[in-house]
Amino acid sequence: MLLVIDVGNTNITLGIFSKEELIGTFRLTTKMPRTSDEYGIDICNLIEHRNFTVRDIEDVIIASVVPDMMYSLRNAIIKYFDITPIIVGPGVKTGIRIGTDNPKEVGADRIVDAVGAHELYGGPAIVIDFGTATTYDLVTEDGTFGACVIAPGISTSVQALWQEAAKLPKIEIKKPPSILGKDTVSSMQAGIVFGYIGQTEYIIQKMKEESKLSDIKVIATGGLGKMIAEETEMIDIYDPNLTLKGLHCIYKRCTKSSR
């Protein structure tokens, strides 16, 4: 079995693949500092709670946008699984060519999403990840990562509202009954949800216009992406596990090329 780990700014998402099938997913909080032993014990406990064993894990691949925690996490995998993990980064074969001005600026998570979208759904595609930041990445038919748009994430925007405006409360992020808010909470929800639907549709439209590419698929992922995808016809596919599947694709390419 393969353990795939996506280290984001908010959550660490883990998945277990048995051959081609994703058979389990787990989450840890990123912002909680942990030692290698704490990472090792937490990950082992999550795996064993789902009736797998550490011995079931034959290999590990990691994509991370949080460099400061990688030393402890990598050592945890070595110590508790007796495996040296593959880390997505320079030198790792992904099958995606980075066509932006500075390829080093493109985060590992976005490369992995692009790989997953291209391998599973084909191109050209706009890949949207609704995470701590919301990213819109253009992948051409031949697998070139060509352009990107980065906006504040939904949760990040909500947090900014209640932290910076003294009288605005914390709110649950959900679609209100109407855009015509009757109280502070529903007014904030309307601004966030309908505002993000509008932002998403406009950015997709402009990316399609300026890229001059026809038949572009729009693929979304990320926890809050489902809410937006359900409210617009401009998102063709919502895949909550796109990043984990992309890691699986990269792992297969890496192991195939090393044979």
Side-chain angles (χ1 to χ4, degrees):
M1 291 183 182
L2 172 68
L3 176 65
V4 300
I5 304 176
D6 168 36
V7 181
N9 289 295
T10 303
N11 291 310
I12 303 168
T13 306
L14 306 94
I16 295 178
F17 281 87
S18 176
K19 296 182 180 178
E20 298 298 313
E21 183 182 0
L22 179 62
I23 58 175
T25 60
F26 322 90
R27 282 180 183 264
L28 292 170
T29 302
T30 301
K31 294 180 180 179
M32 183 183 299
R34 296 178 179 90
T35 65
S36 60
D37 288 318
E38 288 170 327
Y39 277 121
I41 291 168
D42 285 345
I43 294 171
C44 288
N45 285 341
L46 287 171
I47 289 171
E48 291 173 357
H49 182 71
R50 294 290 292 272
N51 297 319
F52 303 116
T53 70
V54 172
R55 292 188 301 276
D56 292 330
I57 304 302
E58 299 168 302
D59 220 337
V60 180
I61 184 168
I62 304 172
S64 173
V65 296
V66 189
D68 290 349
M69 58 163 289
M70 284 306 296
Y71 179 81
S72 293
L73 179 59
R74 181 178 181 276
N75 283 346
I77 299 302
I78 293 170
K79 187 184 297 186
Y80 284 83
F81 292 84
D82 197 25
I83 294 169
T84 299
I86 298 169
I87 310 294
V88 177
V92 172
K93 295 182 182 297
T94 65
I96 290 289
R97 187 180 76 84
I98 308 300
T100 56
D101 291 342
N102 189 347
K104 292 181 180 179
E105 291 181 345
V106 181
D109 57 335
R110 294 164 64 200
I111 293 171
V112 172
D113 283 347
V115 170
H118 190 260
E119 292 279 341
L120 297 171
Y121 304 111
I126 295 171
V127 187
I128 310 173
D129 192 338
F130 292 92
T132 306
T134 299
T135 54
Y136 303 76
D137 297 323
L138 179 66
V139 183
T140 62
E141 188 172 2
D142 67 356
T144 298
F145 185 108
C148 56
V149 175
I150 302 174
I154 299 174
S155 295
T156 304
S157 298
V158 173
Q159 187 176 19
L161 274 178
W162 63 259
Q163 284 186 340
E164 299 299 327
K167 290 190 175 183
L168 294 183
K170 291 184 182 180
I171 61 168
E172 179 184 1
I173 301 173
K174 67 176 185 179
K175 180 186 173 184
S178 168
I179 197 170
L180 303 175
K182 298 296 186 181
D183 54 50
T184 299
V185 170
S186 63
S187 299
M188 291 172 67
Q189 290 171 334
I192 290 294
V193 175
F194 292 108
Y196 255 88
I197 294 166
Q199 172 187 287
T200 300
E201 291 182 339
Y202 184 78
I203 289 177
I204 290 171
Q205 178 186 333
K206 293 300 290 183
M207 290 181 76
K208 286 182 174 181
E209 286 177 5
E210 295 195 19
S211 68
K212 295 180 173 61
L213 295 172
S214 60
D215 299 323
I216 299 179
K217 298 183 184 72
V218 180
I219 302 150
T221 191
L224 292 171
K226 182 178 182 181
M227 177 179 63
I228 304 301
E230 289 175 345
E231 298 298 327
T232 175
E233 295 182 356
M234 296 191 72
I235 293 176
D236 300 305
I237 299 163
Y238 172 71
D239 187 339
N241 296 313
L242 182 66
T243 311
L244 301 182
K245 293 175 183 176
L247 280 167
H248 183 242
C249 292
I250 293 172
Y251 173 78
K252 290 191 294 181
R253 185 177 292 271
C254 290
T255 53
K256 182 178 179 180
S257 65
S258 64
R259 290 171 185 164

